[in-house]
Amino acid sequence: MSKFRLLHIGLDDTDSKDGMCTTYVGAVVVDRLREMGVKIFDYPRLIRLNPNWVLKTRGNCAISIEVETRAELIPKIKQIVFETVEQLAELDHETTNPGVAFLEGGDIPEELKTYSKKVIQDIVTIDEAENLAKRIGAEVFKFKIGRGIVGALAAIGEELKQDKTYELVAYRVPNNRGTKRKIDRESVFKMNELTYPSTFDNIDLATGEIRITPHTPCPILYGIRAENPQTAVKAHNIVKALEPIERWVIYKTNQATDEHIRDARISKVQAERSFMVRGEVCKKPRIIRGGHVIFRIRDESGGIDCAAYEPTRKFRETVMKLTVGDVIKAYGGVKQKPSLPLTINLEKIEVIKLSPVLEKVNPVCSLCGKRMKSAGKRKGFMCKHCKLKLPKEAVRFEEMPRLITLGVYEVPPRARRHLAKPLIRLSPQVW
Ligand code: ATP
């Protein structure tokens, strides 16, 4: 009897802006392996990597698949993976540099787990990935410059033992790719009504936009994000596709988990990564050209600009209600644009402390109880009825009601990054 072995397969960097998607390549590999009788362990994994990485094509995702197989089938499995990548990857595109990784055995080395976190939250080099592979006995294969090995290894190392969600992805037949997606809008609303919040980010209710269909020429018809695979299937059965579905797959994923965010003091914040910083508003929110809202926060280590960009729509109105002295936690990706200060592209804010806003008011007349009027510039106050006069020092300050309360505020689904955790996922009704 031959022995069974566990084999981890990692894939990345197969698409270009003109088409394809690594999730599709993963789905085809899964189907081809199943056809040859290979057992796929658990669900294949869709791991979103650093969303601020400049060389990503779109959503910066990589795929891993864990299989249990007889040892003698391993070479055939590897061949299927290579053939599928070769057949489907957009190899003619300069920026498409696929990478494939294999790791045998059930236990993921600690060093690989740490590396995966780094690829999700930070930046690593191809050399770093290759050296790690050597140390842990993983095999990596590079197509062209093979940048994809960075993500392929990271996808193997993120086991999703903590927070996780699922995404059911349905793919279009080749002839339809690049054309307008045909899907019954009402059925998406019905699906949302029957499955939300166990599915989420299906619709942007403020604008009525359907959020399960992408706007790129990739093979995806729709993707349904869900808390568990059962609800994802239920939702898929409610949605009416008005064009054929070639195949679908359920991925287990780190989407909607905030795994990309690191806590930091402001002075430690770096461009091309994502952070949560706590600070006091030191420059009031203002609207700049393009409808973006910018304000500044500081802590004892420094200051940083925060931005709620135009696509975040109503979130900007919330942000505009902040004032100097308020204390918030700001969550988001950090960008450095030429000649502009480092800026956090806000994904959400938590308002921790509201500063009192005081406004000058005229004193009340002690004789008739009516509000006094100004007696002229620097001349104090006078009661029109009783003619009582008071010096300008009699001015009073009253605390104005604040138009924002303590709590967490997030951008709407239309502006949400794949990794950002929607607030509804914190609600007990999800579970
Ligand atoms: P797809 O959806 O097909 O995977 P994508 O948006 O995920 O496209 P890729 O085409 O995979 O983007 O390009 C990203 C490339 O950058 C990959 O080669 C990946 O291995 C590499 N990469 C991803 N994250 C990092 C990171 N944090 N540091 C360094 N390289 C990274």
Side-chain angles (χ1 to χ4, degrees):
M1 273 275 286
S2 64
K3 275 178 68 186
F4 277 86
R5 299 258 192 90
L6 285 173
L7 175 71
H8 297 268
I9 304 163
L11 302 169
D12 195 13
D13 208 338
T14 62
D15 68 351
S16 74
K17 292 241 188 291
D18 298 337
M20 200 33 63
C21 170
T22 305
T23 72
Y24 179 73
V25 180
V28 173
V29 169
V30 165
D31 286 346
R32 289 182 179 170
L33 294 180
R34 282 203 178 114
E35 274 160 31
M36 71 178 264
V38 173
K39 183 175 164 197
I40 311 288
F41 225 74
D42 197 16
Y43 289 87
R45 300 197 293 270
L46 185 175
I47 305 300
R48 294 281 172 191
L49 309 170
N50 181 349
N52 302 298
W53 170 233
V54 285
L55 295 180
K56 69 176 183 168
T57 304
R58 281 188 287 261
N60 207 7
C61 82
I63 298 298
S64 67
I65 304 160
E66 195 177 338
V67 301
E68 191 184 41
T69 177
R70 290 201 310 279
E72 67 267 24
L73 280 183
I74 288 181
K76 175 77 186 150
I77 291 172
K78 290 180 179 173
Q79 191 194 335
I80 286 181
V81 174
F82 291 134
E83 280 171 9
T84 310
V85 171
E86 239 162 18
Q87 179 196 344
L88 297 176
E90 303 256 295
L91 288 165
D92 292 342
H93 273 261
E94 197 195 330
T95 54
T96 304
N97 293 287
V100 170
F102 298 107
L103 179 71
E104 279 192 43
D107 292 334
I108 300 292
E110 285 305 317
E111 205 186 345
L112 179 56
K113 291 182 194 170
T114 310
Y115 162 90
S116 298
K117 270 272 187 275
K118 191 170 174 196
V119 183
I120 293 162
Q121 299 181 336
D122 207 326
I123 290 169
V124 305
T125 61
I126 302 177
D127 281 352
E128 227 175 312
E130 242 167 349
N131 292 334
L132 168 76
K134 275 189 206 128
R135 287 198 298 279
I136 63 170
E139 280 178 280
V140 287
F141 296 89
K142 302 198 284 188
F143 295 75
K144 294 158 67 186
I145 69 160
R147 191 189 309 285
I149 65 166
V150 173
L153 276 172
I156 293 178
E158 173 44 285
E159 294 182 288
L160 300 174
K161 290 258 163 88
Q162 284 160 6
D163 197 9
K164 61 180 176 300
T165 61
Y166 293 81
E167 180 163 353
L168 185 150
V169 193
Y171 298 98
R172 318 180 76 186
V173 295
N175 276 348
N176 284 338
R177 294 179 198 163
T179 64
K180 193 173 173 335
R181 290 169 172 85
K182 296 195 186 96
I183 181 162
D184 180 77
R185 197 179 143 80
E186 291 312 309
S187 73
V188 181
F189 276 83
K190 187 169 167 209
M191 175 276 276
N192 189 57
E193 204 182 296
L194 296 177
T195 62
Y196 179 86
S198 206
T199 63
F200 50 89
D201 286 354
N202 301 311
I203 290 165
D204 188 301
L205 287 175
T207 57
E209 283 167 81
I210 303 272
R211 299 299 309 154
I212 64 170
T213 46
H215 299 287
T216 61
C218 76
I220 297 178
L221 178 60
Y222 58 78
I224 300 171
R225 300 166 192 90
E227 290 296 333
N228 58 67
Q230 296 75 24
T231 314
V233 174
K234 178 178 167 189
H236 166 64
N237 287 331
I238 299 169
V239 170
K240 280 195 202 121
L242 303 176
E243 62 174 72
I245 289 175
E246 187 204 66
R247 70 184 78 227
W248 56 270
V249 66
I250 297 178
Y251 282 112
K252 196 178 196 175
T253 171
N254 62 347
Q255 289 175 167
T257 65
D258 271 352
E259 198 185 4
H260 59 314
I261 303 264
R262 280 185 285 165
D263 296 6
R265 285 153 55 99
I266 289 174
S267 62
K268 298 285 174 204
V269 165
Q270 292 166 283
E272 293 167 31
R273 284 96 173 151
S274 306
F275 293 93
M276 188 283 288
V277 293
R278 186 189 157 114
E280 188 181 301
V281 177
C282 58
K283 273 193 200 159
K284 248 175 110 151
R286 65 184 201 283
I287 302 174
I288 61 163
R289 192 142 43 110
H292 317 300
V293 173
I294 310 283
F295 63 99
R296 193 166 177 83
I297 59 171
R298 66 164 178 228
D299 66 9
E300 48 316 319
S301 73
I304 192 161
D305 277 7
C306 297
Y309 289 109
E310 191 281 330
T312 66
R313 301 274 173 99
K314 280 201 169 305
F315 178 69
R316 293 171 307 167
E317 292 167 23
T318 309
V319 164
M320 280 301 290
K321 293 173 186 160
L322 292 170
T323 195
V324 170
D326 290 346
V327 178
I328 66 160
K329 285 182 183 173
Y331 295 74
V334 179
K335 285 215 173 114
Q336 175 86 76
K337 290 197 182 143
S339 73
L340 285 175
L342 269 191
T343 304
I344 301 181
N345 177 359
L346 291 174
E347 292 169 15
K348 54 182 160 251
I349 56 169
E350 179 173 357
V351 181
I352 296 170
K353 194 187 125 215
L354 287 171
S355 157
V357 172
L358 301 178
E359 257 184 30
K360 276 186 186 173
V361 286
N362 295 357
V364 168
C365 171
S366 56
L367 302 176
C368 69
K370 295 218 164 92
R371 185 76 63 196
M372 296 174 82
K373 299 272 181 244
S374 167
K377 211 172 179 191
R378 285 194 221 97
K379 286 194 180 141
F381 304 94
M382 190 175 78
C383 177
K384 271 194 170 176
H385 306 90
C386 317
K387 309 293 177 215
L388 177 75
K389 284 187 174 173
L390 286 177
K392 64 180 189 321
E393 289 72 27
V395 69
R396 306 225 334 254
F397 289 90
E398 264 180 25
E399 199 171 326
M400 294 291 116
R402 293 296 307 269
L403 303 172
I404 184 170
T405 53
L406 300 185
V408 191
Y409 301 87
E410 64 182 352
V411 301
R414 70 193 300 273
R416 188 133 47 226
R417 305 203 102 158
H418 293 292
L419 273 162
K421 186 171 188 157
L423 297 187
I424 188 66
R425 292 206 62 236
L426 301 169
S427 146
Q429 52 174 326
V430 173
W431 312 104

